[in-house]
Every structure is written in structure tokens, then in C-alpha cells.
């Protein structure tokens, strides 16, 4: 019963014991909801807590203890800039402690901080379809605003010939790690803006408005977090402008894993296979520089059938379906009632 549960603000990194308990709950939840997916290593979790991924904003945490046992936690990222009205919230309950109202109690505890930071919306992007998390969110009045396909390229299981993709006529490829070269910075920022055409469903999230200054700020944030950012672009020969791009990040603490970020092609240059070309070239470059790389993960909106197909063509396989859920904070029925 939640009457025996104490919920309070929590710093997962404050003590070794507290961090270990936090990681145990996360891993147990992952095993239940994402079977077959490699567990998040403790070192990677510690790094993410210390330095959240670029664009996530500051974070706050709450923990639910039953006696001395940590049984659940909530994490909120307070997004910034275009998304400063969103509190991005993840509630994780140990499978053995579910169906006791603990997740709802955690969400209720988070509400005052969401309102204090002038958030109008709470969204969650880590709900796995057809699990207890989806049913819980529905019961609390969240609605699904986006369906997301999670795919992974497992290097050992893919025929390398899939990455033999020729460069379309009229284009050439460039690549860099870290900062974009000054001579393509402006057109690279424009090309990054092509991601705005990727569907976001009914989520309140908005893609960044990319400018040269914002690109440099993003690159600096990635460096500060220790991320190794690699970019491959297709340059239009006639104009010298960037026509398409793909970005993958990795971290030395997890050399076996790559994180696919944006892939985008400017509308006027679509239909030439540039997306597949830059992504295939990226895989070859990564494997040449990171021989321990075993997996690249990516997420794509379910409506984006074209990119899902491109991913499949270069060796990505579907893992599971994720849901983004949303609830306006103006009238949250059921959140403020005592929890049974």
C-alpha cells in the first residue's frame, strides 16, 4: 500500500547505495518492459545523470521508498527554448511494486514543481506500447500523441554490402567529427532545419530553429558532455550547399553503442537517395574508427514510412513500438486524489 511509501526529492548520485538502488529499479523495469534490449550500464546511467543529453534542459528527481527500499522514481527534464512549456516526465516503478498506486503518487508529488516552473504540459516519451505503462497512462487521462518505432542496427547480424551505396550524381560527401567546418556552417544550419518536415504527431514538442549560432552552441554542449559527434553531409556540387545530413553520437564510456540523431534532406533534393547514402557512409566511417561498435539505435515517428524503410535497407531491424503521451496540466483529474 502507498500509505507505507515515502516520496521525496532525490539526488540519485548523492550516495553509492542510492545510485545502485536507482539503477536496480531501472534495470528491473527495462527487463519487464523491453525484453531482449541490452541493459543500460551503470556507468552510462551515471554519465547521463551528471550531464543530460543536449537539449534536455535541467532535471529533477523524486524517489519512492517503502521502508528502506527504493521501489520507484520519477525524473523530469524541464525543456527549454521552443519547448519551455513542457515537463518531460518519466515514472519508473519496479515490477514487484506495481499496481499499488506508487506511480500515481510520484506523479502527484511532481506537480507542484511543474507548475512552479510554469509548465503547461506534461509529456512522457518512454512508454512502451502494450505494457503496464501504457495502461497506467491511459487511466490517468494521458493521450497518445505520437507513435515511435525503435530500430537497431546490430553490426554482427548485417551484411556489409548493404553499406555499399553510391553517391548520387551531382553530389559529393563530406564528413567531420565535432564542429562543422566554417565554409559549410550556414548551409548546414539550413539543412538541419529540414527536420521540421518530420512528423511529430500531436506532441507539444517543437524541433529546434537551427541557426549557425545554435549549431555552435549544440556542438559545445555535446563536447562538454564528452559526446563524440560525427556528421556526414551530402553537398550539392552546383551550389556548394549542404543538401542532406546524418548525425550519430557516441561516448567513450559506451564504445559499443552509437546513438543515431537527426537525418534530414532539404525538400528540393529529395528523391535522389541522399538519406540512404549518407547513413550508409556513416556506418562505414563509424566501424572504421570504432572497431568495438556493436549496435546503433534510432527512433523514428511511425508516420515516417520513408525513413523507416531507409533504415531497414541499411540493416536496422525493429525492436519495439514506443509511445509519446501528453496531459495538459490545467485540470489533472485523478492526480490529486488520495492514492489507494
Amino acid at each position: 500500500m502507498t500509505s507505507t511509501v515515502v516520496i521525496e526529492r532525490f539526488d540519485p548520485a548523492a550516495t553509492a547505495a542510492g545510485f545502485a538502488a536507482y539503477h536496480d529499479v531501472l534495470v528491473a523495469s527495462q527487463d519487464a518492459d523491453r525484453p531482449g534490449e541490452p541493459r543500460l550500464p551503470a556507468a552510462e546511467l551515471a554519465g547521463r545523470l551528471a550531464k543530460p543529453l543536449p537539449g534536455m534542459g535541467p532535471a529533477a528527481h523524486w524517489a519512492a521508498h517503502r521502508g528502506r527500499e527504493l521501489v520507484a522514481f520519477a525524473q523530469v527534464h524541464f525543456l527549454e527554448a521552443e519547448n519551455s512549456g513542457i515537463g518531460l516526465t518519466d515514472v519508473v516503478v519496479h515490477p514487484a511494486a506495481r499496481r499499488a498506486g506508487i506511480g500515481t503518487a510520484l506523479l502527484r508529488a511532481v506537480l507542484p514543481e511543474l507548475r512552479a516552473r510554469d509548465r503547461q504540459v506534461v509529456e512522457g516519451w518512454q512508454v512502451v506500447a502494450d505494457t503496464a505503462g501504457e495502461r497506467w497512462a491511459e487511466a490517468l487521462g494521458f493521450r497518445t500523441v505520437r507513435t515511435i518505432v525503435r530500430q537497431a542496427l546490430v553490426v554482427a547480424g548485417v551484411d556489409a554490402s548493404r553499406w555499399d551505396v553510391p553517391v548520387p550524381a551531382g553530389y559529393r560527401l563530406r564528413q567531420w567529427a565535432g564542429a562543422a567546418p566554417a565554409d559549410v556552417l550556414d548551409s548546414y544550419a539550413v539543412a538541419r532545419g529540414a527536420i521540421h518536415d518530420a512528423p511529430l504527431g500531436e506532441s507539444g514538442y517543437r524541433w529546434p530553429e537551427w541557426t549557425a549560432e545554435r549549431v555552435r552552441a549544440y556542438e559545445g554542449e555535446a563536447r562538454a558532455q564528452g559526446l563524440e559527434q560525427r556528421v556526414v553531409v551530402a553537398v550539392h556540387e552546383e551550389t556548394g550547399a549542404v543538401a542532406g545530413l546524418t548525425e550519430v553520437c557516441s561516448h567513450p564510456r559506451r564504445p559499443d553503442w552509437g546513438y543515431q540523431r537527426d537525418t534530414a534532406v532539404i525538400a528540393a533534393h529529395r528523391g535522389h537517395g541522399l538519406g540512404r547514402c549518407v547513413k550508409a557512409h556513416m556506418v562505414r566511417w563509424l566501424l572504421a574508427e570504432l572497431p568495438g561498435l556493436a549496435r546503433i539505435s534510432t527512433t523514428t515517428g511511425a508516420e515516417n514510412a520513408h525513413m523507416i524503410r531507409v533504415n531497414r535497407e541499411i540493416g536496422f531491424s525493429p525492436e519495439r513500438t514506443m509511445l509519446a503521451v501528453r496531459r495538459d496540466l490545467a485540470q489533472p483529474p485523478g492526480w490529486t486524489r488520495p492514492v489507494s
Side-chain angles (χ1 to χ4, degrees):
M1 298 292 289
T2 55
S3 59
T4 63
V5 172
V6 175
I7 295 174
E8 57 190 356
R9 287 288 288 267
F10 176 68
D11 179 358
T15 67
F19 173 77
Y22 185 91
H23 183 247
D24 286 347
V25 169
L26 180 63
V27 166
S29 177
Q30 183 184 44
D31 287 348
D33 298 333
R34 305 182 185 187
E37 184 174 325
R39 292 177 169 183
L40 186 69
E44 176 69 5
L45 176 61
R48 292 185 186 185
L49 291 171
K51 295 178 178 179
L53 293 174
M56 297 298 287
H61 303 83
W62 287 256
H65 287 88
R66 187 160 53 192
R68 295 186 177 182
E69 181 186 10
L70 194 155
V71 295
F73 64 83
Q75 174 180 266
V76 181
H77 284 278
F78 298 96
L79 304 184
E80 298 175 319
E82 300 90 351
N83 300 298
S84 58
I86 299 175
L88 183 60
T89 304
D90 192 18
V91 177
V92 179
V93 182
H94 193 289
R98 292 176 179 176
R99 300 185 64 82
I102 297 172
T104 306
L106 271 166
L107 190 57
R108 185 180 62 193
V110 166
L111 283 175
E113 187 71 14
L114 290 170
R115 292 189 172 120
R117 300 205 191 198
D118 198 28
R119 304 291 144 157
Q120 293 83 49
V121 171
V122 58
E123 291 199 11
W125 299 346
Q126 297 296 320
V127 179
V128 182
D130 299 321
T131 65
E134 180 183 4
R135 294 186 288 274
W136 174 78
E138 287 179 350
L140 287 181
F142 284 85
R143 60 188 178 93
T144 297
V145 292
R146 190 180 183 215
T147 302
I148 303 158
V149 177
R150 186 180 180 94
Q151 297 170 287
L153 188 156
V154 180
V155 173
V158 180
D159 182 348
S161 66
R162 287 176 178 256
W163 311 320
D164 293 332
V165 179
V167 180
Y171 299 89
R172 56 186 167 84
L173 300 185
R174 288 186 69 173
Q175 66 188 48
W176 62 80
D183 64 311
V184 295
L185 176 60
D186 289 336
S187 69
Y188 173 59
V190 171
R192 291 212 68 145
I195 196 67
H196 285 250
D197 294 339
L200 287 170
E202 298 179 74
S203 169
Y205 181 79
R206 294 294 174 263
W207 294 116
E209 296 294 337
W210 289 105
T211 63
E213 293 75 19
R214 190 155 188 176
V215 167
R216 288 294 189 232
Y218 174 82
E219 292 168 344
E221 191 175 354
R223 284 193 301 273
Q225 295 173 17
L227 287 171
E228 296 178 350
Q229 180 194 20
R230 288 176 173 81
V231 177
V232 176
V233 301
V235 177
H236 186 224
E237 292 276 21
E238 183 177 344
T239 63
V242 173
L245 64 102
T246 193
E247 173 194 11
V248 171
C249 288
S250 59
H251 200 289
R253 65 175 173 253
R254 201 174 190 185
D256 62 327
W257 202 293
Y259 302 93
Q260 174 73 62
R261 297 297 187 83
D262 289 352
T263 299
V265 177
I266 290 177
H269 297 278
R270 292 171 189 164
H272 301 290
L274 293 179
R276 180 168 172 247
C277 177
V278 294
K279 294 189 86 160
H281 185 85
M282 173 66 81
V283 175
R284 286 204 173 277
W285 181 26
L286 287 167
L287 292 178
E289 292 208 348
L290 302 173
L293 185 71
R295 170 182 291 252
I296 304 171
S297 64
T298 189
T299 56
T300 308
E303 309 98 323
N304 195 345
H306 171 72
M307 188 56 65
I308 291 171
R309 185 180 69 252
V310 167
N311 290 338
R312 187 171 63 248
E313 288 171 350
I314 64 170
F316 283 85
S317 298
E319 285 193 317
R320 57 188 37 85
T321 299
M322 308 291 293
L323 305 174
V325 298
R326 171 188 171 110
R327 188 76 168 83
D328 294 340
L329 288 176
Q331 292 184 331
W335 294 4
T336 55
R337 295 197 301 267
V339 181
S340 61

